[in-house]
Amino acid sequence: MTDTVTSPVATPTQVAPKQRGANGSARIARRLALGLLSALIGLAVWIALWRAGLNGFPSPLAVLGRAGEMAKTGVLFTDAWASLKRVLIGFALGSLLAIPCGFVLGWYPTIRTIFDPYLQFFRMVPPLAIIPLTIVLMGIGETPKIFIIFLAAFLSAVVATLQGVLSVDRTLINAARVLGARDFTVFVRVVVPASTPFILVGMRIGLGASWATVVAAELIAAQAGLGYRMQQAQQFYDLPTIFVDLVAIGLIGLVMDRLILLAEKRLTRWQERRAG
């Protein structure tokens, strides 16, 4: 009689966590490597444009040196905070108002029929074109600057929310009603979760529009801000200062965008995603 030797076989539950951890680490390493490669490509293009002598295009070292000077005097941080504060207030107010408005427009066809033409009309008018009107009506303080940013964020988010409500699968709504759910329950448990990806995409677009608008908004008698500093530097053809402010706007906006993207991933875990 021979003894049977059994070798331990790893069960799927034993392998899966290790495999998922390895795959996750590999994806993170790959993204970091691609991010570094992207930064190097951008730096190479910048150096190539500088060496080509494109209308006094500043070198990376010149811009870095100017950034150090502005940081040392505190001007860079003062301007960054002034612009960030305006964007945060305008973007937050615009998004908070846009989401309920988008839900109402999407859920009630009669209200949508009445107000959608106005929404589309104002969406076609660039927020920057309203600057002269805001100066006349609101003066030259902080209110008109924040209002212009608010308008840019609101129009992007309300359209995205409206589209999100209209894109909800009717089968899901009908199935919930067949199971006895009332309109309020259907709205909260079906429409809101299904619309969340659209809302967050609209907020990301609105955030970009807010930063694009803040530069022009700070033309309204501002005393500090990245856009204000760029306008001052333009008068003296101070390209390094302009580049410092451009990079600052891009970096701050990128961080804010990634925060919204992180919130999107957490709020829409139920959604199937393509592995990347």
Side-chain angles (χ1 to χ4, degrees):
M1 184 174 180
T2 58
D3 294 334
T4 303
V5 179
T6 58
S7 60
V9 179
T11 62
T13 56
Q14 292 174 322
V15 176
K18 294 181 180 179
Q19 198 169 23
R20 284 198 299 267
N23 292 338
S25 300
R27 280 198 298 268
I28 292 174
R30 179 173 177 270
R31 288 175 181 174
L32 289 175
L34 290 176
L36 179 60
L37 177 62
S38 175
L40 292 176
I41 292 174
L43 183 61
V45 172
W46 187 345
I47 293 174
L49 292 174
W50 165 59
R51 288 188 175 277
L54 184 63
N55 288 333
F57 204 85
S59 68
L61 289 178
V63 174
L64 185 62
R66 182 57 54 83
E69 295 173 3
M70 295 173 67
K72 187 176 181 179
T73 59
V75 173
L76 180 60
F77 301 114
T78 301
D79 289 339
W81 171 242
S83 295
L84 178 61
K85 182 171 62 175
R86 291 171 183 135
V87 169
L88 284 176
I89 296 174
F91 172 71
L93 292 176
S95 299
L96 289 175
L97 183 61
I99 292 172
C101 287
F103 277 136
V104 171
L105 290 172
W107 191 247
Y108 298 103
T110 303
I111 298 178
R112 181 169 67 252
T113 302
I114 295 173
F115 290 101
D116 186 65
Y118 293 99
L119 174 64
Q120 302 306 326
F121 171 82
F122 283 107
R123 195 167 67 89
M124 294 299 111
V125 179
L128 303 184
I130 307 179
I131 288 180
L133 181 62
T134 57
I135 294 176
V136 173
L137 296 178
M138 302 179 183
I140 57 175
E142 286 296 304
T143 302
K145 301 179 185 64
I146 293 174
F147 176 77
I148 295 297
I149 299 169
F150 157 83
L151 194 60
F154 172 82
L155 292 173
S156 298
V158 71
V159 171
T161 304
L162 169 60
Q163 188 60 42
V165 176
L166 295 178
S167 299
V168 176
D169 191 346
R170 295 295 304 181
T171 304
L172 299 176
I173 297 176
N174 294 333
R177 284 176 173 160
V178 167
L179 294 173
R182 296 184 177 181
D183 281 353
F184 180 77
T185 304
V186 172
F187 181 78
V188 173
R189 301 295 296 273
V190 177
V191 175
V192 172
S195 304
T196 300
F198 289 85
I199 296 171
L200 292 170
V201 169
M203 290 178 64
R204 293 181 67 189
I205 296 173
L207 178 63
S210 298
W211 277 108
T213 306
V214 71
V215 175
E218 289 177 346
L219 290 174
I220 309 175
Q223 298 300 319
L226 297 171
Y228 162 77
R229 195 66 56 189
M230 290 172 63
Q231 296 296 331
Q232 294 293 313
Q234 177 191 2
Q235 299 178 12
F236 301 98
Y237 205 70
D238 186 0
L239 289 179
T241 298
I242 294 176
F243 267 74
V244 170
D245 293 326
L246 282 174
V247 172
I249 290 174
L251 290 177
I252 298 173
L254 178 62
V255 171
M256 294 177 69
D257 178 78
R258 289 298 177 247
L259 291 175
I260 296 178
L261 189 60
L262 180 62
E264 178 185 359
K265 290 181 179 178
R266 291 184 177 275
L267 293 174
T268 59
R269 289 178 177 176
W270 51 268
Q271 191 178 31
E272 292 186 5
R273 298 178 182 275
R274 187 173 65 87

